[in-house]
Amino acid sequence: MARWGMVIDLDRCTGCAACEVACKSENNIPTVSPDQANMGRAMNWMKVTAELEGEFPDTTMHFYPRPCMHCDNPPCIRVCPVQATYIDDEGIVGQIYPRCIGCRYCANACPYMVKYFNWYGPEWAESERQHLNPDVSVRPKGVIEKCTLCHHRLQKAREDARAEERELREQDYQPACAEICPTGAIVFGDLDNPSHRVASLKEDPRAMRLMEDLGTQPKVYYLRPRE
Amino acid sequence: MRQDVKEKMARMSADEQVLLRPLVETSRGFYIVAAILTAITLLGVISYYLQVSFGLGRTGLNRPGYWGIYIICFVFFIGISHAGTLISAILRVSKAEWRRSITRSAELITVLVIGFGAIQPIIDLGRPDRVLNVMLHAQMLSPLLWDVTSIGLYFISCTIYLYVPLLPDLAIIRDSGIKAPRFYRFLAAGYRDTPAQRARLERVIGVLSIVVIPIAVSVHTVIGWIFAMTLRPMWHSTIFGPYFVMGAIYSGIAAILVAMVVLRRAFGLQQYFKLIHFDYLGRLLLLFSLLWFYFTFAEYLTAFYGGEPGEMRAFWAKLTGPFAIPFWTMVMGCFVVPLALMSRQSMRTPRGTLIAGIAVMIGMWLERFNIVVPTSVNPRWEIEAIGRYVPSWIELSIMAATFSGFILLYMVATKFVPIVSIWEIKEGREHSVREVADRVAEYLPAGELAAAAEDK
Amino acid sequence: MRPSRREFLWTMGAAAATVALKGTQDVFWTAEESADVGWAPGIEERRNSACLICPSRCGISGRLVDGRLVRISGNPLHPLSRGGLCPRGVAGVQLLYHPERLTSPLVRAGPRGADQWEEATPDEAIARIADQLQALRAAGRPEALALAAGYSAGTMHDLWRQFLSSFGSPNYVADEYEDGTDAVMASMHGIQRRPSYDLDRARLVLSFGAPLFESWWSPLQAFVAFASPDEDEGPRPRFVQVDARFSRTASRAHEWVGVRPGTHAVLALGIAYVLIRDELFDADFVARHVSGFEDFVDADGQPREGYRSLVTRNYRTEEVSAITGVPVERITSLARAFAANRPAVAVCGTDVTFAPNGLLAGLAVHSLNVLTGSINRPGGVLFADDAPIQPLPSPVLDETARAGLAHEPVGSPRPRFGNGGEALRFAEAVAGGEAAVEALLLYYANPIASSTHPSVWREALAKIPFVVSFSPFMDETARHADVILPDLLPYERWQDAPTPVSYPYPVWGLARPLVEPREGMTHTGDAVLTVARSLGGGVGQSLPYESFELLLQQRARGLFSVRRGMTLGDEFDRKHHSQMEERGWWLPEHTEFGPFWDELVERGGWTDLFYDDTDPHRFARTESGRIELMPAALLHVLNQEGSARELYIDVAHRAGQTPAGFPLRLIPYRVSTLASGTLALERWLAEQPGIFPDVLWVPWVEVAPETARALDMGDDTDVWVVSQRGRYRARLKVSHGTAHGNVGAPYGLRHPDGTAASPLQLLDGSYDPLTGLASWLSTFVRLERA
Ligand SMILES: Nc1nc2c(c(=O)[nH]1)N[C@H]1C(S)=C(S)[C@@H](COP(=O)(O)OP(=O)(O)OC[C@H]3O[C@@H](n4cnc5c(=O)[nH]c(N)nc54)[C@H](O)[C@@H]3O)O[C@H]1N2
Ligand SMILES: Nc1nc2c(c(=O)[nH]1)N[C@H]1C(S)=C(S)[C@@H](COP(=O)(O)OP(=O)(O)OC[C@H]3O[C@@H](n4cnc5c(=O)[nH]c(N)nc54)[C@H](O)[C@@H]3O)O[C@H]1N2
Ligand code: SF4
Ligand code: SF4
Ligand code: SF4
Ligand code: SF4
Ligand code: SF4
Ligand SMILES: [Mo]
């Protein structure tokens, strides 16, 4: 069974945020009004956060592109009263939008703050509806959403592979963020499959996971920047 | 008051006359207050309507401030609900005779406030239309479900625990015929106060008051656990269960005190809510203010001493940061004011306890605020931006409506049941005085010591 | 009357019930609500094309479903971008489906600028334009036509030139990216062309303020080099960023060197000093290819100091350190690294050239490349070729045209070394009444919003009787037009997309329609061809193409017949081709143009990944055939001007006296997620503008904590940024990435209500007289609480 995960090389990441926008485009993530955005209601399944340290001119800055960590031991799913968030056999942590009651408990339980709530129903200008991705459902108001590892791409890739009667290959299933990254900082694949690049990259001495001490066992690894 | 009722009243005992009067006589002030409260409640209902039709966006909630006023009120009101049942049960079990005139008003608070507390998380839902999913797709690992379960159980047991001791009084009203005869005939459920019935009643009450204690404790423990089970700074704490229970009882006592002062004035119950009651409850309040300090100190010291960066962000946000005002007001309300007032005999009067009680209520509300909001807006991951949460008027008016709705319901309830248990007072007068004397005599060593000396 | 208890309760209950009942219908949703996107998918398709949003012209691949453009991702075959994109490119779908897009051509119906319009058909609008232009020619005043054009590399540029020439107008007014490096190259190498940088193969990239990862010619070129996908071919290049603020580029470079504003070139010469002192420069290269290094006798027979003497005498590390604020050891180690990690390349950014001494400063920076011989070598500065597309035939000039072209362009004379500030000079001439312009065409230009002097442009527009805008949006300048003939958007049209000069290999990317063009819109290229046809005469003869698409096909014939290069291909193809060409081989893959064109369209373009570094013309085309460190022409002009400025001496812009009351230095910079533009924003980009997670949509300025403390202003204060020329409102952010005394001011942002917040309109108006480029770094401001 595959165990999908990501390795993000902070040494390569330039903080350009192409991954963030690609994710929004791929997953029909609605935008909110400027006022709402400034209230903290903008949605970014992938969020490139910046960490600025030191004082001028001895400053350093790192960018952390942050999707859902798809924890192997996800604290978010245990607290959900209706099992509207779950982890599947391949380790993808998903949301069941039609079941979610919108209590936001999972959002509070996630230490990585990756869950986003639909405070209002999603809105697009009529013309903008044309660029919605038909593979991804639009979330109604009042439910939680987050990075799905572009699960719809897995489903498609799997159908294609089945139709062609072959195994799923590494390049068949790549999420939108990994695909667009201009520096190749995001590498995606099956962490348990030695032929996938992530399997060896995660053993790199620079590899770490966020807040590893919490025991959440994220499947998103980061490679520390080289000094 | 109608003439026939007046005549019937005249035939009653003095206790009955005083305690049943509110059932048949209503002042103009009552209507005015009720009208105001109704208006506020309606405003809240409209606000909720707006919230549901537009979305939770109408609140001030955001990311990371996912929880706000509603969750604060949830914890607060369920906390208040510990007033009645727990205190009355503990006093009953410990055979504290001074309880007789206060249990009813306290139990009534419990039953009426639980609903208002329990509805808060539903108001807080993004999809209240799907609330039944909690049953259909129950996921028992979620502390929220533990909560649904224990609050449900608590509500049922408290209602029974209110109802059973009401039976003799309901029978009295039915028999007196002063009010809605069919209604009370139904409610009294054939209770005739025969000695056999009375004995069974007392046995049931005895069992209930024991059963209800662990349930009450579980309720607030589990509410504490809702927070403690997450990995968030200053939530993830083993002390939260007992801390919440203690806080709940504390705010409950404060609520009873406030209610007693008001009832005493409104219905002229000086003979029932005596200075001694205020003195005793004031001492209890004093005890809990110390307990509160102990728990709070332990909680904050542990966080501070560990010095974990995530914890420290929330910690300093409360002590010196943007939440310093609510924090130190809470310390004033929960500790300084009650301690200063209640440690003095001269202040354990209705007036003194009223002030202390209100201070504690405000303090305890703020305590819930200081638990929910600062942690919410201070994510553990230090790279995340610190959030801001300012409640919207929708939230504030729903909160106001919760308060007013509860008070309104309580006021209405005083029109249907005597606010002091008539039969328990009577029982006190007829049996307890002697019984207590006997019991106290039993406690004393005299006879047995002498016998023992003889054995040697 | 006193209500009975019963009445009271009933009233309350009824009220509650009414609200509840009325509520339920709207309150309860159905479970299926908006579970899908609202349309059922059908046929899927992928098409390669090119991104036309910035000069980089990356390769894109559009995902189409039922003819809708659903996603834009990268085209892995494109050698520059290799499947990556920047966020602006990805957000292109929101440009295409922007709700503010114009829906039809518009003709002015009320007074100018009153925003009263009548809709017109494209034919009517084109006829209207043709009539007006015909009248100009008939009146014998073709020179009264002008075009203001933004960045339009490739055939659109050539088409406009051809049109204007055959029409008889000398007024092609470029309102586009100009970084002054072409003037540097022209002076030193005699090659009028911007430098290409072989970042992929460099071992050290020393950037003097070039925002490589943000808003450079091609951020993608820099990203790809930074990530070095061909890691097996050698170590990744080391990026060192010299910058006045802690920019995104500085933050992700391997090393950041903070300098005082305006002193980049001083640091460069400090490095040169160490290279010379420690004999770390490439003496052999200098001896063979460079002049002006040693002292010499100039054209007037005067003995002059050469580069070596000037540098050794004036740029001792202690002095450089005092000026730049960079410690002596750091200067030494930078020089050592630059010498040791060859090939190393010094990149000159606009914060060097956008200064009163910009050209001299640019020469100073580039001299490092000359010293280390990083010219025309792998990993250095290259002079690449353009793609060998078929040139347009020479325009047919009739009588009228010849007469018109004999006129000086409006806004002449040009500066001696470049054409910076051309648009502003044009507007000043018109506004000042020195030139009578009768008709102005605006193509990709929105000067009222983008100019440093919008009021001059407003005056100029008021004096021009006929103004046409081709903007697809109602931008600020289009508002002042008489006719708006909206262009198609990039994903609807044919356009060639040559990569910018910074990239060392010619790439002729091809943008082609991904979706059906919106009804009522016209490709500006086609519009020009139609107007030319209806003008007839020389104009018609010069542009005998049926459509812009066919014109592009015509040009591609040049690629078909050139016997080198390839249609875009994957990594294997790329390596294979360049290795073959290195050995002088080339295999034709197509014998017919048709299939060649089809493949070119399908793959998204053509490229030739071979660079001939043995060609001596690529070092210098000066008279001496050498690279001139002391360019004669420049010395001559400086002499002639009686300018007190001296080569390699006056390279800094030091903040002498700050104007009283304006203590803070304004540092405008470009936010990487915003397009050059003054364009209405794409919403996704507005949600990700900077590094401050809590400032979305609103313009901000950055100051150091010390500065904020001195001003007694906290984070998130609303402030006015005030200069002697004007003010705008922004939110204050306190950041350790800014030096005390500076105000970092992102430009291109707007308030959500649409009001601009442009620091460029505060600029003090000083410029480099040699290049005409405005100075962006000499303006001082103060902050006031708003
Ligand atoms: N991403 C992106 N790329 C683009 C474009 C785009 O829209 N978006 N547009 C293209 C266009 S039209 C242009 S003109 C170019 C613009 O590219 P640039 O002209 O390079 O413009 P900026 O990005 O504003 O970079 C200016 C730099 O100068 C620095 N600076 C400012 N003031 C001073 C000072 O006083 N002293 C010194 N030493 N430095 C200073 C700033 O910190 C900033 O890093 O980008 C081109 N590329
Ligand atoms: N506020 C502000 N001012 C600036 C800058 C800035 O970033 N912000 N940047 C400065 C710099 S460096 C430069 S180079 C100039 C650039 O400034 P301009 O030359 O004015 O270029 P833009 O603002 O990028 O675009 C001009 C107009 O082209 C139109 N346009 C967009 N897409 C298309 C299209 O597909 N076809 C056609 N025909 N038109 C289209 C849009 O309406 C846009 O308003 O501005 C300078 N001034
Ligand atoms: S796209 Fe790649 S380089 Fe850009 S922010 Fe995301 S991870 Fe970093
Ligand atoms: S990152 Fe958060 S949302 Fe994602 S699996 Fe882990 S706990 Fe759940
Ligand atoms: S918000 Fe939805 S997914 Fe999250 S815990 Fe509540 S019901 Fe579950
Ligand atoms: S994996 Fe897909 S859903 Fe997750 S962040 Fe990347 S693009 Fe978004
Ligand atoms: S760098 Fe320029 S051309 Fe490339 S994707 Fe971004 S906007 Fe488009
Ligand atoms: Mo520009």
Side-chain angles (χ1 to χ4, degrees), chain C residues 230-500:
Chain C
D230 315 316
E231 211 158 357
D232 40 321
E233 291 185 3
R236 287 166 60 192
R238 186 176 168 78
F239 280 70
V240 180
Q241 180 76 5
V242 179
D243 230 330
R245 53 177 274 280
F246 192 55
S247 62
R248 247 177 214 242
T249 311
S251 76
R252 290 310 299 129
H254 299 99
E255 190 180 339
W256 173 48
V257 186
V259 289
R260 301 215 173 97
T263 65
H264 293 61
V266 177
L267 179 66
L269 292 177
I271 292 171
Y273 171 88
V274 179
L275 292 177
I276 294 171
R277 183 193 65 192
D278 299 353
E279 301 201 345
L280 296 170
F281 67 99
D282 188 337
D284 177 49
F285 180 86
V286 170
R288 282 199 291 135
H289 295 292
V290 179
S291 72
F293 185 69
E294 306 294 351
D295 298 351
F296 64 102
V297 179
D298 75 4
D300 308 329
Q302 299 290 319
R304 300 192 70 129
E305 276 180 308
Y307 181 85
R308 183 205 284 271
S309 311
L310 283 169
V311 171
T312 14
R313 200 157 54 74
N314 294 298
Y315 292 95
R316 276 193 294 274
T317 44
E318 294 74 23
E319 289 157 28
V320 170
S321 172
I323 297 170
T324 59
V326 180
V328 172
E329 317 79 70
R330 193 85 189 273
I331 300 171
T332 318
S333 73
L334 279 172
R336 300 230 162 100
F338 196 72
N341 290 293
R342 292 204 205 152
V345 64
V347 181
C348 172
T350 47
D351 43 2
V352 174
T353 49
F354 283 16
N357 288 331
L359 179 56
L360 303 192
L363 288 179
V365 169
H366 182 58
S367 71
L368 290 179
N369 293 319
V370 175
L371 281 187
T372 48
S374 289
I375 307 285
N376 219 15
R377 283 190 187 157
V381 170
L382 310 181
F383 292 96
D385 300 316
D386 288 328
I389 48 175
Q390 196 170 82
L392 294 184
S394 311
V396 180
L397 301 183
D398 57 20
E399 198 61 35
T400 327
R402 272 200 298 275
L405 290 178
H407 287 79
E408 282 288 303
V410 176
S412 302
R414 296 177 158 203
R416 183 63 180 72
F417 295 92
N419 198 16
E422 182 178 23
L424 187 56
R425 274 198 310 282
F426 169 84
E428 275 166 350
V430 176
E434 295 147 38
V437 171
E438 305 283 338
L440 174 69
L441 310 177
L442 293 156
Y443 179 65
Y444 260 106
N446 180 16
I448 295 232
S450 63
S451 168
T452 51
H453 292 73
S455 56
V456 175
W457 264 101
R458 257 188 227 109
E459 269 176 61
L461 287 176
K463 294 209 164 136
I464 303 176
F466 186 63
V467 176
V468 179
S469 169
F470 294 97
S471 174
F473 297 91
M474 183 59 83
D475 66 29
E476 287 81 348
T477 316
R479 234 171 261 283
H480 292 262
D482 299 281
V483 177
I484 304 178
L485 179 62
D487 196 358
L488 299 180
L489 283 178
Y491 312 101
E492 297 171 327
R493 66 179 190 231
W494 288 98
Q495 187 164 328
D496 50 347
T499 50

Side-chain angles (χ1 to χ4, degrees), chain A residues 8 12-20 48 65 177 180-186:
Chain A
I8 303 179
R12 282 168 190 264
C13 174
T14 60
C16 71
C19 48
E20 195 174 313
V48 181
C177 52
I180 206 75
C181 176
T183 60
I186 305 180

Side-chain angles (χ1 to χ4, degrees), chain B residues 280-347:
Chain B
Y280 280 10
L281 282 174
R283 283 164 197 264
L284 214 50
L285 207 60
L286 178 64
L287 170 69
F288 271 88
S289 73
L290 294 169
L291 270 176
W292 182 88
F293 177 79
Y294 166 71
F295 271 96
T296 308
F297 183 75
E299 167 68 8
Y300 282 75
L301 180 68
T302 321
F304 175 72
Y305 202 89
E308 210 227 305
E311 299 266 339
M312 292 320 285
R313 287 218 293 175
F315 180 88
W316 288 119
K318 297 196 213 187
L319 264 71
T320 58
F323 300 101
I325 293 179
F327 181 85
W328 293 107
T329 314
M330 164 190 85
V331 173
M332 290 296 291
C334 288
F335 184 60
V336 180
V337 173
L339 182 75
L341 293 179
M342 294 301 99
S343 55
R344 264 181 269 167
Q345 174 91 46
S346 63
M347 279 296 171

